[in-house]
Amino acid sequence: MPDRGGGPTGPRIRVGRPSRRVRTLLMTLAVLAVLGMAFTMFAGFWTDWLWYRSVHYSSVFTTTLWTKIGLFFVFGLLMAVAVGVNIWLAHRLRPPLSAMSVEQQSLDRYRMGIAPYKTWLLLGITALVGLIAGASAAGQWRTWLMWVNGVSFGQKDPQFHLDVSFFAFDLPWYRFLLGFGFAATILSLIAAALTHYLYGGLRVTSPGARATAAATGHLSVLLGIFVALKAVAYWLDRYGLAVKSSDFKATDNWTGLRYVDANAYLPAKTILFCIAVICALLFFATLWRRTWQLPVIGFGLMVLSAILIGGLYPAIVQKFQVQPNEQAKEAPYVEKNLKATREAYGIDGAQVTEYSGTSTTKDKTTLRDDADATASIRVLDPNIVSPTFQQLQQMRKYYAFPTNLDVDRYNVKGTDEDTVIGLRELNLAGVDKQNWINNHFRYTHGYGVVAAKGTTSDPEGRPVFTESNLPSQGELGSYEQRVYYGEKTTTYSIVGGPQKEIDYSDDKGEKTTSYTGNSGVNLSNPVNRAAYAVAFGEPQILYSGAIGDGSRILYNRTPKERVEAVAPWLTIDGDAYPAVVDNKIQWIVDAYTTTNGYPYASRTTLGDTTADSLTATNDNRAVVAQQNQVNYIRNSVKATVDAYTGEVKLFQWDTQDPVLKTWMKAFPGTVKAKSSISPSLMAHLRYPQDLFKVQRELLTRYHVKDATTFLSGSEVWQVPDDPSNKSGDAVPPYYLSMRMPDQKAQAFSLTTTFTPNGRDNLSAFMAVDSEAGTPDYGKIRVLKLPTSTTVDGPKQVQSQFNSEQDIAESIRLLKGGDSDIEYGNLLTVPLDGGLLYVEPVYVRGGGLKYPLLKKVLVTYGGNTAFEDTLDEALNKVFGAEAATPPPTDEGGGTTPPPTSSNPTVRQALADAQKAFEAGQEALKKPDWDAYAKAQKDLEAALKRAEDAQAQADKGAKTGGGAVPSPSASPRAGSGAAAGGKATGSPSPGPSSS
């Protein structure tokens, strides 16, 4: 039937049309605007494609893109068709005539207004809802890929006996489909109801029936579909109970069924499912009965049942069955949660053993020797000495080191040594003349590795560098030193073209270079240049003469950023670290696969559990989480990023992880086999910090296996606050080469401590073997302290350090003038049943803007020492020297001076000792003039000793007897370097305090 018309139209008003020139101008501007928007969109797409192709991960780009496009069109079309068909059907079922009531007369204006545009309006509405639905569906590409590629876990949940993959991969996709179905039904219902109302099928104030039979049948079917979907939701809710989080007194993030879930909610959901199915059938029956009576009654009964069965009944069960005997009722479900949580986080193999906390050995000499054998105690704190590296090894203002350095181990002369390492990265803030050419063409890369021994310092308290200078030289051999990709490289560079780059500077002047790697995107193509000019908002890229044949643009240059881009399904560890591997600098990045659909496993928030005192001050150390709430995590991938070429390699690490296998099916060829890891790379792989932090947080509660103890909360631990500062943030874990009581030799380990919940004494010590490639890698060992006695925890030990009178006085002297002290990492080492605490103390004072290691705090069994070196502190604590003292090295000076048969040498050494003691006395006052004089006397005495010894050695060669060589330094910490010269040390005075 034709639409009803309106009344008289009234006079027409002629409006002047714009001139042809104006119309042409407006049309041209519109076309240009459309072309500009189109090219902007194309530029983003094209540059992404070029980047993925340049890193040889184009399959990731295409798989992700086609998945998003497919989901967009499929679900966008489904939504558009659903809404459009229901609008069309409502319009087709409109009544031919209706009473001319006041309501209908007011609607006539709208009907007449839209009549000429009905088709366009229908297309516009359906296109809009289709675009919104398609965009929402495209965001579910991960859910789709996991569902379609899902791999079995080989484990079944304890309630429904379904494979875990159903909850991890299938259930999320079913819930998305259900949500989409609800959205399509509700939008169709609203659109159909409005159309029926507009064309008289529904009436609000008009006399007679409120709805036509056709409208009644149409809307009833839509309501029936809605109720049927609700029935499906009730059925899926049954399985959702296994991954449902709830507040429970045992833990804040309890996941899984409890007694009330299994015995009240589960049967209630089944009953509600049946009621919803019946109610849906009643709605569908209106196609024949043409009355709302039965479906409305059925819907009311369903709502009432949901309140009574789904809400009131579980509350009654909880109140009268569970609460009177909670432990007995909840124990079976707690045991399921304990088992699942420990499995999901990889802590089910944690070895918890009792540890007395007090030593029983009376022979102090034995303990002194055991201290050296048990751990290579690192006194160089990587989180404090970055300014020292910066001051001594920056070389140029346009270089910088990260705020927190890294700890690795290197084999030097057949011995593995804990090493503090950092890269001399590019720092554009230090470039004197800031302009586009300098920032993007000339200053393009950092240069070299700087490394230092972790277990010692030189007499001035500076690091003993094993790799230093510019270009870097030392014990790491030859390697490509240019750093084009690093943690501080956050801007793009254009390299390889006519514009030369600054390489480094030495005594002969500034060196230049030109990038020869195959990284980045070639800019010789004008289309590429135009695309990057638009994408980066930098028009000079399009026309600059500094870009020519061979020019390549490098971007996405931080290691974590590159790994996240090529594997967007991974969660990235917050601490990428560099290593020299096979003559290259390689960034090593740990990556995780996660899910929040592991049944019965309690959830954790990655951002919270991985936070500590380091992440609070350094955003670069934060985990890059694709999914913040998780209840399953595996360190399934080890990734490397070449610092010169930017090449990204992903290696399968956990070969049993079903989540990784699923993603490897979705993105075939992107992850290399574990066997592809070279032995040289394996030597530098380690246990990742963020996984360790997640596991230690879970172990605060889940170290117990007994449901009763878990429910009582009597064995709850906590991660202590960092005692070395007042931030109130958790203490970070520390890498340390050490030997646990059941180990025969030291292993590179990651360690932490626990205290009882709400208390400061020690409750446990935890270490995980971080030696990749060894049988014990990843083994978690927990030493549990007795609850009947108290053992001092980190905060209490720090408090003892600060409150002991002699130590407090020494610290006050160290703070003399404008100096200040910084406490390093407080390391804990299990030793003969007791616990050895070691903390380096740094002084940043006078004219120095960087910290120097000046003292070492050590405590064991109630004995405390505050000495210049670790060996001296250990000797004092144990009241004995090591049976085999460590040899003298170029930085330690730890061996006491041997006696000499040459009287001149003996006298010179005696004078040196007096000068040293005079210098120490001057430091205590402090008297800087006296200290400077003592330093000069010390240097002169050592020079005399050196000359006398050289003369004696010369005489021995011509027939005289051999004379032992004197020590270069009369005592560790003397301020003189080997050979009697204070090479590289600051001049005496306030700045060297």
Side-chain angles (χ1 to χ4, degrees):
M1 294 291 293
D3 290 322
R4 292 184 293 272
T9 59
R12 295 184 179 181
I13 301 175
R14 295 182 61 87
V15 179
R17 296 178 64 189
S19 66
R20 177 174 294 181
R21 179 179 298 178
V22 173
R23 292 200 305 272
T24 302
L25 178 62
L26 292 175
M27 186 175 296
T28 302
L29 291 175
V31 170
L32 289 175
V34 171
L35 289 176
M37 293 175 60
F39 189 78
T40 300
M41 295 174 62
F42 167 78
F45 163 81
W46 185 242
T47 53
D48 284 348
W49 161 249
L50 290 174
W51 186 85
Y52 275 97
R53 191 175 65 175
S54 73
V55 295
H56 309 295
Y57 282 90
S58 54
S59 62
V60 174
F61 179 81
T62 54
T63 300
T64 305
L65 177 65
W66 286 116
T67 302
K68 290 179 178 179
I69 290 174
L71 292 172
F72 177 86
F73 279 106
V74 169
F75 286 94
L77 187 61
L78 285 174
M79 181 65 76
V81 169
V83 176
V85 165
N86 279 281
I87 293 176
W88 173 83
L89 187 59
H91 179 265
R92 185 177 178 81
L93 296 175
R94 68 192 185 281
L97 294 172
S98 59
M100 294 304 295
S101 64
V102 176
E103 180 183 16
Q104 290 302 312
Q105 289 176 0
S106 64
L107 290 174
D108 268 343
R109 292 179 301 167
Y110 298 103
R111 288 193 286 262
M112 288 186 297
I114 66 174
Y117 313 106
K118 285 189 297 184
T119 302
W120 291 107
L121 188 60
L122 176 63
L123 292 175
I125 292 174
T126 55
L128 179 62
V129 297
L131 286 172
I132 295 173
S136 175
Q140 297 294 321
W141 64 271
R142 291 184 178 87
T143 308
W144 161 260
L145 287 176
M146 293 185 77
W147 177 67
V148 78
N149 295 287
V151 172
S152 171
F153 274 69
Q155 293 175 287
K156 294 185 177 181
D157 80 287
Q159 180 66 40
F160 303 100
H161 307 293
L162 295 173
D163 192 89
V164 172
S165 60
F166 171 81
F167 300 92
F169 305 142
D170 299 344
L171 190 58
W173 178 248
Y174 297 153
R175 281 178 162 169
F176 164 72
L177 292 178
L178 183 63
F180 178 83
F182 273 124
T185 303
I186 292 171
L187 288 176
S188 297
L189 185 61
I190 293 172
L194 289 175
T195 305
H196 279 299
Y197 176 69
L198 182 63
Y199 287 98
L202 291 178
R203 304 179 182 90
V204 177
T205 61
S206 299
R210 298 299 182 188
T212 63
T216 300
H218 184 194
L219 298 179
S220 294
V221 169
L222 290 176
L223 287 170
I225 293 173
F226 177 85
V227 176
L229 289 173
K230 187 62 180 174
V232 175
Y234 282 133
W235 190 256
L236 290 182
D237 284 346
R238 299 169 67 255
Y239 303 112
L241 292 172
V243 290
K244 176 180 70 85
S245 290
S246 60
D247 292 333
F248 189 33
K249 72 175 186 178
T251 177
D252 296 332
N253 294 301
W254 172 273
T255 301
L257 285 83
R258 291 158 50 192
Y259 180 89
V260 69
D261 296 315
N263 294 278
Y265 281 112
L266 189 57
K269 296 292 184 183
T270 305
I271 295 171
L272 289 173
F273 164 77
C274 297
I275 294 174
V277 169
I278 295 171
C279 186
L281 293 175
L282 291 177
F283 273 107
F284 292 142
T286 57
L287 286 173
W288 296 275
R289 294 180 56 85
R290 302 293 183 178
T291 176
W292 291 88
Q293 186 176 6
L294 283 178
V296 168
I297 293 174
F299 187 78
L301 288 174
M302 188 181 75
V303 173
L304 183 62
S305 300
I307 296 172
L308 296 177
I309 302 175
L312 184 60
Y313 174 62
I316 292 173
V317 171
Q318 178 69 24
K319 178 70 175 178
F320 296 102
Q321 289 191 34
V322 177
Q323 289 185 4
N325 192 16
E326 186 173 39
Q327 287 201 354
K329 296 291 186 182
E330 300 288 14
Y333 303 96
V334 171
E335 289 176 358
K336 295 175 184 178
N337 176 271
L338 286 170
K339 183 176 183 295
T341 302
R342 292 169 62 86
E343 289 174 350
Y345 290 96
I347 57 177
D348 50 325
Q351 174 184 301
V352 181
T353 56
E354 300 294 330
Y355 193 71
S356 64
T358 56
S359 172
T360 57
T361 300
K362 296 181 180 180
D363 186 352
K364 299 285 184 155
T365 305
T366 302
L367 282 179
R368 176 64 185 88
D369 293 335
D370 286 347
D372 288 332
T374 300
S376 298
I377 299 173
R378 177 172 44 76
V379 293
L380 200 66
D381 188 344
N383 306 310
I384 286 184
V385 298
S386 179
T388 308
F389 273 51
Q390 188 84 357
Q391 183 70 25
L392 301 179
Q393 289 295 321
Q394 179 188 22
M395 303 303 183
R396 296 292 183 269
K397 289 194 299 182
Y398 49 82
Y399 293 134
F401 293 91
T403 304
N404 304 106
L405 302 177
D406 290 290
V407 178
D408 201 350
R409 66 264 190 233
Y410 284 85
N411 190 283
V412 179
K413 299 177 182 178
T415 304
D416 284 340
E417 291 186 353
D418 287 5
T419 302
V420 176
I421 187 172
L423 298 190
R424 193 183 286 111
E425 295 190 44
L426 178 66
N427 174 33
L428 287 177
V431 176
D432 289 331
K433 190 175 182 181
Q434 297 277 337
N435 57 53
W436 189 64
I437 294 295
N438 277 346
N439 290 351
H440 300 289
F441 290 82
R442 288 180 57 77
Y443 295 92
T444 59
H445 60 278
Y447 207 98
V449 172
V450 176
K453 294 184 178 182
T455 56
T456 188
S457 65
D458 76 1
E460 290 292 336
R462 298 167 303 191
V464 176
F465 292 109
T466 56
E467 187 79 9
S468 58
N469 299 330
L470 184 66
S472 295
Q473 300 173 0
E475 298 175 350
L476 301 184
S478 61
Y479 55 93
E480 173 56 66
Q481 298 200 20
R482 297 173 182 89
V483 181
Y484 282 88
Y485 294 88
E487 291 181 307
K488 301 180 77 67
T489 317
T490 56
T491 188
Y492 69 90
S493 290
I494 299 176
V495 299
Q499 178 66 59
K500 291 292 185 180
E501 310 162 44
I502 292 177
D503 203 19
Y504 64 91
S505 300
D506 60 13
D507 296 337
K508 297 180 181 179
E510 193 173 82
K511 308 291 184 182
T512 59
T513 188
S514 188
Y515 185 70
T516 58
N518 59 358
S519 183
V521 178
N522 197 320
L523 291 180
S524 58
N525 187 327
V527 175
N528 291 357
R529 293 177 66 170
Y532 279 102
V534 171
F536 288 1
E538 184 50 73
Q540 293 185 78
I541 294 177
L542 184 60
Y543 56 79
S544 173
I547 301 176
D549 290 340
S551 291
R552 310 180 72 85
I553 184 167
L554 313 180
Y555 62 105
N556 287 353
R557 298 169 70 185
T558 64
K560 292 192 295 184
E561 186 179 27
R562 291 179 78 78
V563 174
E564 181 192 12
V566 302
W569 33 273
L570 289 175
T571 294
I572 312 301
D573 189 89
D575 185 24
Y577 60 98
V580 177
V581 179
D582 298 328
N583 304 320
K584 299 176 182 178
I585 300 174
Q586 297 280 352
W587 287 98
I588 300 175
V589 183
D590 284 286
Y592 312 106
T593 46
T594 62
T595 179
N596 66 352
Y598 197 99
Y600 269 103
S602 290
R603 288 184 172 87
T604 188
T605 304
L606 291 180
D608 294 337
T609 53
T610 59
D612 57 27
S613 60
L614 297 183
T615 61
T617 57
N618 186 356
D619 292 338
N620 290 333
R621 296 295 289 266
V623 64
V624 183
Q626 298 293 343
Q627 190 177 41
N628 200 24
Q629 275 272 330
V630 304
N631 68 350
Y632 172 94
I633 186 170
R634 289 291 185 273
N635 177 211
S636 53
V637 171
K638 300 284 188 181
T640 61
V641 178
D642 192 295
Y644 182 74
T645 66
E647 181 184 18
V648 181
K649 292 182 180 179
L650 306 176
F651 298 98
Q652 183 182 16
W653 185 247
D654 190 332
T655 57
Q656 303 301 316
D657 178 30
V659 182
L660 178 60
K661 291 179 180 179
T662 296
W663 286 120
M664 289 175 68
K665 280 183 63 179
F667 296 96
T670 56
V671 181
K672 299 178 182 295
K674 187 175 184 179
S675 58
S676 302
I677 300 176
S678 66
S680 52
L681 174 60
M682 184 71 76
H684 293 281
L685 299 182
R686 67 189 191 188
Y687 202 81
Q689 290 192 47
D690 284 338
L691 175 61
F692 182 82
K693 287 188 279 190
V694 169
Q695 290 175 326
R696 73 173 180 179
E697 182 65 32
L698 268 296
L699 280 169
T700 58
R701 290 182 180 273
Y702 287 90
H703 62 277
V704 302
K705 299 180 181 180
D706 177 65
T708 303
T709 306
F710 186 84
L711 282 167
S712 70
S714 60
E715 291 288 332
V716 175
W717 300 338
Q718 67 181 13
V719 178
D721 295 339
D722 192 342
S724 63
N725 58 60
K726 298 179 181 179
S727 65
D729 299 299
V731 62
Y734 296 124
Y735 287 105
L736 184 68
S737 289
M738 59 167 294
R739 183 183 68 194
M740 290 289 276
D742 65 329
Q743 292 178 294
K744 295 181 179 179
Q746 292 183 17
F748 192 62
S749 305
L750 193 53
T751 65
T752 193
T753 53
F754 296 105
T755 58
N757 193 27
R759 299 175 61 192
D760 294 325
N761 57 290
L762 197 68
S763 58
F765 175 83
M766 171 182 170
V768 61
D769 194 321
S770 300
E771 291 275 5
T774 62
D776 275 354
Y777 172 83
K779 183 174 183 178
I780 299 173
R781 294 175 171 90
V782 179
L783 303 180
K784 183 181 176 184
L785 280 299
T787 56
S788 56
T789 59
T790 57
V791 177
D792 289 340
K795 188 174 181 180
Q796 293 171 321
V797 170
Q798 187 71 53
S799 178
Q800 290 175 13
F801 283 157
N802 296 336
S803 60
E804 193 162 320
Q805 185 174 355
D806 292 342
I807 296 176
E809 179 63 21
S810 298
I811 290 176
R812 188 187 67 80
L813 292 173
L814 289 174
K815 288 183 176 180
D818 59 351
S819 299
D820 201 359
I821 66 166
E822 295 181 35
Y823 291 104
N825 37 220
L826 180 57
L827 301 176
T828 309
V829 177
L831 177 64
D832 189 51
L835 290 153
L836 176 69
Y837 286 97
V838 179
E839 184 176 47
V841 178
Y842 293 81
V843 174
R844 188 198 296 255
L848 294 179
K849 302 302 180 185
Y850 59 94
L852 296 175
L853 177 62
K854 286 299 180 183
K855 293 285 185 178
V856 179
L857 283 161
V858 174
T859 185
Y860 182 83
N863 298 324
T864 302
F866 185 59
E867 300 297 325
D868 294 340
T869 67
L870 174 62
D871 286 315
E872 292 177 359
L874 290 173
N875 291 343
K876 182 173 180 180
V877 163
F878 295 111
E881 294 186 0
T884 307
T888 303
D889 57 49
E890 64 271 24
T894 54
T895 305
T899 58
S900 173
S901 60
N902 188 313
T904 306
V905 173
R906 289 203 306 271
Q907 183 58 48
L909 289 177
D911 293 342
Q913 184 66 37
K914 289 179 182 178
F916 170 77
E917 292 172 353
Q920 294 300 103
E921 289 298 322
L923 275 177
K924 293 180 180 179
K925 294 181 180 179
D927 185 340
W928 300 118
D929 292 336
Y931 179 75
K933 181 179 182 303
Q935 290 291 91
K936 289 180 181 178
D937 293 344
L938 175 60
E939 185 173 353
L942 290 173
K943 178 63 176 171
R944 293 201 313 273
E946 182 183 27
D947 293 343
Q949 186 60 46
Q951 186 65 32
D953 290 342
K954 184 177 180 181
K957 289 179 181 179
T958 60
V963 181
S965 174
S967 170
S969 173
R971 181 177 173 188
S974 66
K981 296 179 182 179
T983 9
S985 62
S987 59
S991 64
S992 62
S993 65

